[in-house]
């Protein structure tokens, strides 16, 4: 049985040895991940993966709707378009089976989560820190649907800093349900970093795709341009209020010792210098790849070039435009289409590529074989499913969505001060 409190460990890290960017003390949040989309027997969790694809599609659909309203379509990447709500069609699901399974086996969850508190009475929540969106939501005491069972619920009456605002927050999910609720402001604290008057939604409806997951809600860490509240996300509020000195945060995502560091970088976790790349800030995302520098490599050969990349801690996998991903897999020996509808490919399990890398014009940042491999097609199969899939999320013609399958290989740094994303080698 899973004991929640044992994982809610807050670590304060006082770091005096600063890189030029740090400029002050930062704060570390211990975060954890329970697994990938690989089952205990080493096989690929296809149902869980399809659920992820639907959730990722609808999250980014909502981002584009927010961006269009906040900045206009001129902020869109070339070829970006708002796709219909993605659905899990019955032929793809086994949805009920997955839900039942995840209640007993928490190993299939696929996010990086840690503790936060909301309100004057410090109501605790367990939160997915998401660089691919910009709003905060948690379940409300007024959420009566069964999908909120077992989750922490925000009670505005118990907090003296609670304030109701006008408007409604909502994200549609393809299972016919949505995440929605009223808009509030509150005092929000993450590992000692506090933002007062932070906009968030205590949601009264929770999509079934979140049922049975340990995480209570999501804290968005992308730019304000993606905010449905049209307000600063938590970290920007904290920076504006001076409770965090440097506008920099950084992730180590690993099997153990994962950490989100607020207000700088943690030199104990990486070695050598951090390689920074300018963000295309107009898109609202942590999007890098300006000047046609970004490419996907297999060995020393660039197989796809001139791409844009969105670095998204809230996405498990790596998505590319279908035609570019097809081109990529032509360079992977023995690869074949596995699921043409969703865009998954396989390769032989005895030849999992260990030389796939992204480059933004500097070093090549390699994805390990372990992080490329989502597991065997079935427990006896000799084919394994790849972590890069070809699926159009509407984000743009040459845009790749680069999630944890990449981020697990590097120390990643997100700087609002420099509008840059940096990567360094993990220690
Ligand atoms: C998903 O279902 C909704 C509501 O039934 C529908 O409006 C939408 O077009 C569907 N999306 C796709 C991609 O089929
Ligand atoms: C829950 O509903 C009650 C009654 O309508 C309301 O007073 C309260 O503010 C709501 N709380 C939250 C957190 O939405």
């Amino acid at each position: 049985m899973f004991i929640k409190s044992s994982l809610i460990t807050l670590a304060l890290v006082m770091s005096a040895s600063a890189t030029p960017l740090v400029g002050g003390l930062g704060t570390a949040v211990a975060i954890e991940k329970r697994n990938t989309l690989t089952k205990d027997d080493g096989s690929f969790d296809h149902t869980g993966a399809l659920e992820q694809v639907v959730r990722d599609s609808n999250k980014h659909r909502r981002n584009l709707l927010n961006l269009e309203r906040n900045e206009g379509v001129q902020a869109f990447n070339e070829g970006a378009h708002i796709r219909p709500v993605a659905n899990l069609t019955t032929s793809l699901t086994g949805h009920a089976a997955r839900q039942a399974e995840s209640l007993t086996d928490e190993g299939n969850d696929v996010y990086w989560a840690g503790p936060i508190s909301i309100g004057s009475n410090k109501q605790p929540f367990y939160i997915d820190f998401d660089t691919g969106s910009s709003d905060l939501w948690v379940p409300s005491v007024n959420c009566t649907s069964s999908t909120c069972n077992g989750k922490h619920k925000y009670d505005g009456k118990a907090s003296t800093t609670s304030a109701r605002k006008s408007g409604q927050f909502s994200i549609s999910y393809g299972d016919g349900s949505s995440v929605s609720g009223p808009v509030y402001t509150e005092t929000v604290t993450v590992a000692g970093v506090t933002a007062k008057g932070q906009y968030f939604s205590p949601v009264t409806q929770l999509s079934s795709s979140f049922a049975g997951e340990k995480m209570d809600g999501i804290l968005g860490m992308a730019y304000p341009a993606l905010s449905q509240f049209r307000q600063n996300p938590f970290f920007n509020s904290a920076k504006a209020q001076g409770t965090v000195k440097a506008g920099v945060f950084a992730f180590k995502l690993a099997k153990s010792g994962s950490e989100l560091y607020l207000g700088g970088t943690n030199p104990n976790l990486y070695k050598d210098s951090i390689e920074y790349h300018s963000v295309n800030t107009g898109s609202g995302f942590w999007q890098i790849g300006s000047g046609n520098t970004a490419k996907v490599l297999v060995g020393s050969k660039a197989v796809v070039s001139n791409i844009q990349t969105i670095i998204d801690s809230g996405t498990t996998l790596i998505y590319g435009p279908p035609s570019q991903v097809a081109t990529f897999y032509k360079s992977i020996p023995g690869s074949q289409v596995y699921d043409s509808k969703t865009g998954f490919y396989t390769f032989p399990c005895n030849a999992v590529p260990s030389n796939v890398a992204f480059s933004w014009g500097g070093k090549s940042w390699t994805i390990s074989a372990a992080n490329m491999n989502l597991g065997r097609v079935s427990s006896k199969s000799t084919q394994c499913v790849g972590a890069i899939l070809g699926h159009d999320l509407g984000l743009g013609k040459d845009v790749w969505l680069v999630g944890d399958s990449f981020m697990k290989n590097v120390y990643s740094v997100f700087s609002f001060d420099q509008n840059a994303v940096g990567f360094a080698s993990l220690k």
Side-chain angles (χ1 to χ4, degrees), residues 84-87 174:
V85 173
N87 296 320

Side-chain angles (χ1 to χ4, degrees), residues 139-158:
S140 164
V141 282
N142 293 336
C143 180
T144 49
S145 55
S146 63
T147 45
C148 281
N149 287 352
K151 298 200 185 287
H152 293 98
K153 295 175 187 146
Y154 170 76
D155 181 1
K157 288 203 204 78

Side-chain angles (χ1 to χ4, degrees), residues 351-368:
V352 177
S354 59
N355 59 350
V356 175
F358 281 88
S359 163
W360 289 268
K363 280 187 198 166
S364 293
W365 301 95
T366 302
I367 302 171
S368 70

Side-chain angles (χ1 to χ4, degrees), residues 228-244:
Q228 194 174 150
F229 304 127
R230 285 183 137 140
Q231 299 291 338
N232 273 338
F234 164 81
F235 189 77
N236 305 72
S237 303
K239 177 71 182 14
Q241 293 169 20
T243 58
V244 66

